[in-house]
Amino acid sequence: MTIRLGYGTNGLTDLRLDDALGLLADLGYDGVGLTLDHMHLDPLAPDLAARTRHVASRLQELGLGVTVETGARYVLDPRRKHGPSLLDPDPEARAARTRLLVRAVRVAADLGAHAVHCFSGITPPDTTPDTAWQRLTDSLAPVLDAADRSGIPLAIEPEPGHLLATLADFHHLRVLSGDPPPLGLTLDIGHCQCLEPAMPVDCVREAAPWLRHVQIEDMRRGVHEHLPFGEGEIDFPPVLEALDTLSDTGYRGLTVVELPRHSHAGPELARTSLEFLRAHSPSNQDPPMRDPSSHSPSSR
C-alpha cells in the first residue's frame, strides 16, 4: 500500500502534542494532520516560532510527515464555533481569519508540511451567493499569495453546510479566482458519502488532479457525522484502492483519519483505525473469484 496514513490531532485533544506524536509514531502512522489550536500548537501564542521549531524537531525525530489543518472550533472566537469565517459580514473579522491562514502557511513552511487545509465557512444570514463568493475569493487572495511564496499549497475542503460544500463548488472557486496554482483540494471521504452525487471511489478519481490532502472516516448518506470505521456505510476497499493509485498522479500527501469528536477514545481509535485501513487495503484483498464455466467449451 502506497497510501501514507496519518491521524488528526483534533481527535487527540486529551493528549499533550508530544505524547500524541509519539503515540502515532509508535503505532506505525506515516504522519499527522496537525490542527493549530490552543491545546497543541497555538497559532496565537507569542512564542509561536519557538514552539514551531520544537514541533519540527519532534516530527523529524519521529519520522512523521505533516499537514497543517485550520479547523479548530474556537481558536479565534471563544463564543462562535469556527468564527469569524472568511465570509463574515465584518471586513475586519474576515481579515482575522485571513491572517490566521497566512500564519498557518508560515507554520507549515517551517514544519515542512505537505499543505495547509482550510474551509470556506457557512454563508451568513441575508448574504447573497454572489456576495459570499466574492468575500471568499477576496479573503483567500492574501493566503494564496503567501502559499505561492512559500511553496506550500492551500487545500480547501468542501464541507457540508458551508458555501463551498461540494467538488462542484471547488471548481466554481477555481474559476472565480483565476485557477491559481497554489489552490488545491482537501477531499474528505466521509463528506463524499454524505452529500456528493458520485460514489466516494469516483470522487477520489475525479478529484485526483487537484488533490493536496485527504481526510478519511466512515459516514452515512445525508448525515454529517464522523464515525469510526465500520459504523457507517462506506465501502472502503475500492476507495483505498483508488487512493493507492494517487501516487501515479503525483500525490505525495497524507490520508488522515478525521475523528474530531472522539478524543475521549483517541489512543484506542488511532490503533483500531490503522488496523482497519491496513486490513482493507488492496494488498489484503482476495482477488475476485473466477467463474470456472467461463473457460469450459460449453460456455463459448
Side-chain angles (χ1 to χ4, degrees):
M1 185 168 65
T2 61
I3 305 170
R4 300 180 65 246
L5 295 173
Y7 200 91
T9 60
N10 60 0
L12 295 169
T13 56
D14 293 296
L15 277 67
R16 297 176 182 87
L17 182 55
D18 272 5
D19 292 338
L21 297 179
L23 168 74
L24 298 181
D26 287 346
L27 288 173
Y29 279 95
D30 302 295
V32 58
L34 175 57
T35 296
L36 303 184
D37 207 350
H38 66 87
M39 77 289 290
H40 285 151
L41 186 56
D42 186 350
L44 303 184
D47 59 343
L48 176 60
R51 295 187 187 198
T52 302
R53 286 193 296 272
H54 172 78
V55 174
S57 176
R58 182 74 168 143
L59 290 168
Q60 184 174 20
E61 171 193 347
L62 296 171
L64 293 174
V66 60
T67 299
V68 169
E69 302 199 1
T70 62
R73 294 185 180 95
Y74 296 100
V75 69
L76 288 178
D77 188 328
R79 293 173 176 82
R80 287 192 297 161
K81 181 181 177 182
H82 296 145
S85 78
L86 297 168
L87 311 179
D88 199 285
D90 180 0
E92 181 49 38
R94 295 198 300 274
R97 177 62 64 171
T98 295
R99 287 193 296 270
L100 176 69
L101 294 179
V102 170
R103 182 170 292 193
V105 170
R106 292 199 297 266
V107 169
D110 290 341
L111 294 178
H114 301 290
V116 171
H117 148 279
C118 70
F119 43 59
S120 68
I122 298 170
T123 304
D126 303 320
T127 303
T128 67
D130 286 348
T131 296
W133 283 107
Q134 188 62 56
R135 288 176 184 168
L136 181 60
T137 54
D138 290 347
S139 298
L140 283 178
V143 188
L144 290 166
D145 287 343
D148 192 36
R149 291 192 302 270
S150 66
I152 304 293
L154 185 70
I156 194 162
E157 177 187 6
E159 183 80 21
H162 284 211
L163 173 69
L164 197 155
T166 65
L167 288 173
D169 293 331
F170 166 72
H171 292 300
H172 183 57
L173 175 64
R174 285 180 53 237
V175 172
L176 288 178
S177 55
D179 200 12
L183 180 61
L185 175 70
T186 292
L187 187 70
D188 187 303
I189 301 302
H191 294 174
C192 297
Q193 177 70 23
C194 179
L195 85 169
E196 290 285 353
M199 297 292 289
V201 62
D202 296 320
C203 291
V204 173
R205 296 175 181 135
E206 292 171 15
W210 300 276
L211 209 53
R212 302 295 178 267
H213 183 43
V214 178
Q215 297 171 345
I216 192 167
E217 69 286 313
D218 217 339
M219 204 169 286
R220 301 186 183 98
R221 184 70 178 170
V223 182
H224 184 201
E225 181 182 4
H226 292 233
L227 299 172
F229 297 110
E231 296 185 15
E233 301 170 341
I234 298 176
D235 182 16
F236 279 100
V239 171
L240 293 172
E241 184 174 4
L243 290 171
D244 199 42
T245 65
L246 286 178
S247 60
D248 297 336
T249 70
Y251 181 69
R252 297 292 182 268
L254 297 168
T255 296
V256 171
V257 178
E258 185 81 358
L259 293 172
R261 296 186 179 180
H262 293 77
S263 280
H264 62 283
E268 178 64 11
L269 279 173
R271 181 185 66 80
T272 58
S273 294
L274 188 60
E275 290 174 354
F276 179 96
L277 292 170
R278 285 175 170 170
H280 289 78
S281 71
S283 60
N284 284 326
Q285 300 307 300
D286 293 329
M289 295 289 291
R290 301 178 67 179
D291 181 2
S293 66
S294 63
H295 297 284
S296 66
S298 61
S299 67
R300 294 177 182 175

